[in-house]
Amino acid sequence: MKKIVRDEKLNILDECFEDMRNSLPIRVWVNDDEKPHRIISTPQELDDYFYGALPYCLTTRYEKV
């Protein structure tokens, strides 16, 4: 499981986004939840998921399915 890496303004680093994209499909977790919040399968789903403010800010970890 990998931690989502952000800059000082809480933007996800390009390298981290690229790793998530290259690892698709991925499970994503919000904060310290034990179960994944969602499974993301496509690049479009990845963009759509992280476009929203709430999941973008709260999603903290991911792993390849």
Side-chain angles (χ1 to χ4, degrees):
M1 190 172 320
K2 296 181 179 181
K3 184 178 189 303
I4 293 176
V5 183
R6 302 174 186 274
D7 66 16
E8 64 279 348
K9 294 181 182 177
L10 300 180
N11 296 310
I12 297 173
L13 296 181
D14 290 342
E15 298 83 14
C16 183
F17 234 119
E18 187 66 26
D19 185 62
M20 285 191 282
R21 190 174 307 281
N22 291 334
S23 299
L24 290 172
I26 60 171
R27 295 178 186 96
V28 293
W29 279 263
V30 172
N31 293 327
D32 295 325
D33 288 349
E34 291 183 23
K35 294 183 180 180
H37 173 67
R38 185 166 174 182
I39 294 176
I40 298 174
S41 300
T42 68
Q44 184 63 50
E45 283 181 281
L46 184 69
D47 292 344
D48 291 347
Y49 179 80
F50 282 102
Y51 182 72
L54 191 59
Y56 180 86
C57 293
L58 298 178
T59 306
T60 56
R61 297 170 286 144
Y62 67 99
E63 76 176 0
K64 185 163 180 57
V65 173

